[in-house]
Amino acid sequence: MNFEELVTSRHSADNFVKDEKMTEEDFEKIFKLTKLAPSAYNLQFTDYLVITDDEKKERVKELSYNQYKIHTASAVIIVMGNKNSIEISEVEKLYSPMKMLKIIDELEYEMTLDHIKGYAEDLKADRNKLELELVRNTGIHAMLFMLSAKHFGFDTCPMHVHNVEQLRQEFNIPEHLLPVMMITIGKSVNKIRPRGYRKLVGEFVNFNGY
């Protein structure tokens, strides 16, 4: 399908075909497209925890007010912002190969690292600013994940993540990862109902000021 068809065919799934299994190869294909999402300074802030084990999914369901779609989904995915992405050691891992391959020269490399160091110091000085940056970047990444999933024939539903600290303990999620949202994925069991009302473009877009 073309891009317009892909976007218009993606709906949030309320329920999934139970026992529909997804393989690591299925996820590999989806994530190979997802990783192309843009991020600030290309720091790639987003980590995913993919939960396919039935017992572990049930535990997530319990921590998520027993929402049934988690029970029937092929997997539930925790989307997380990685606070360590702004550490200079991580930045160097991304930019050093670019210098080695002569995509950027030494001067551009040093200037880029200096810019990122200032950006990182600013975020570290304000927890709210850091968390907002993580949410902004993971949101872009997660949307591309859902479109990529639809491209390969899988339906999704973005969800709030609840009881974060209990979830963190249950799955040994380290402190530098901030759970931002969840996504259930599988094959939708419901007939696609008409999409809910969307505002007209003129209701939410303005040009050159208000």
Side-chain angles (χ1 to χ4, degrees):
M1 64 180 78
N2 64 35
F3 184 71
E4 185 175 356
E5 292 168 337
L6 178 65
V7 173
T8 55
S9 65
R10 192 218 62 80
H11 288 246
S12 294
D14 291 328
N15 197 4
F16 298 91
V17 177
K18 185 133 177 10
D19 299 324
E20 177 77 25
K21 301 298 182 185
M22 290 182 66
T23 65
E24 289 190 18
E25 289 75 19
D26 290 326
F27 284 107
E28 180 78 12
K29 291 189 296 184
I30 294 169
F31 283 118
K32 277 186 175 179
L33 292 181
T34 304
K35 72 178 184 179
L36 301 177
S39 59
Y41 288 104
N42 190 37
L43 296 183
Q44 303 170 51
F45 295 85
T46 313
D47 281 31
Y48 293 83
L49 174 60
V50 180
I51 301 167
T52 57
D53 179 85
D54 286 338
E55 289 186 10
K56 292 180 179 180
K57 276 200 298 142
E58 287 305 303
R59 184 59 183 139
V60 177
K61 177 173 171 281
E62 291 170 11
L63 293 172
S64 305
Y65 304 107
N66 289 304
Q67 295 184 69
Y68 188 70
K69 68 186 76 172
I70 298 172
H71 174 70
T72 58
S74 300
V76 59
I77 298 163
I78 314 299
V79 186
M80 300 170 291
N82 189 335
K83 297 176 185 178
N84 286 350
S85 298
I86 58 175
E87 297 298 332
I88 194 63
S89 59
E90 295 300 311
V91 176
E92 288 173 341
K93 287 179 188 176
L94 294 173
Y95 280 90
S96 293
M98 295 179 67
K99 182 178 68 169
M100 182 180 67
L101 295 170
K102 301 188 183 306
I103 297 171
I104 57 175
D105 60 25
E106 182 69 31
L107 178 60
E108 187 176 357
Y109 174 78
E110 294 297 337
M111 288 178 61
T112 301
L113 260 61
D114 283 344
H115 283 307
I116 294 174
K117 285 176 184 176
Y119 163 77
E121 287 170 6
D122 184 49
L123 293 180
K124 288 179 180 179
D126 187 335
R127 178 181 173 182
N128 290 334
K129 189 178 287 187
L130 173 58
E131 291 191 356
L132 178 59
E133 190 73 334
L134 293 176
V135 169
R136 179 163 37 234
N137 281 273
T138 55
I140 294 170
H141 218 272
M143 187 68 244
L144 188 54
F145 172 87
M146 290 187 284
L147 289 173
S148 300
K150 189 63 180 176
H151 172 70
F152 289 110
F154 297 102
D155 299 295
T156 55
C157 184
M159 303 172 65
H160 286 88
V161 57
H162 300 283
N163 296 306
V164 171
E165 289 311 310
Q166 289 174 268
L167 192 72
R168 191 183 291 283
Q169 292 175 18
E170 187 75 26
F171 294 97
N172 299 311
I173 298 172
E175 286 297 322
H176 69 274
L177 296 178
L178 175 69
V180 172
M181 63 186 292
M182 297 196 311
I183 300 174
T184 44
I185 184 170
K187 297 288 182 74
S188 177
V189 75
N190 295 337
K191 292 181 179 178
I192 299 298
R193 66 182 181 184
R195 195 183 296 277
Y197 173 73
R198 293 297 195 269
K199 294 178 181 179
L200 299 174
V201 172
E203 294 183 69
F204 67 95
V205 178
N206 290 275
F207 293 91
N208 302 316
Y210 281 86

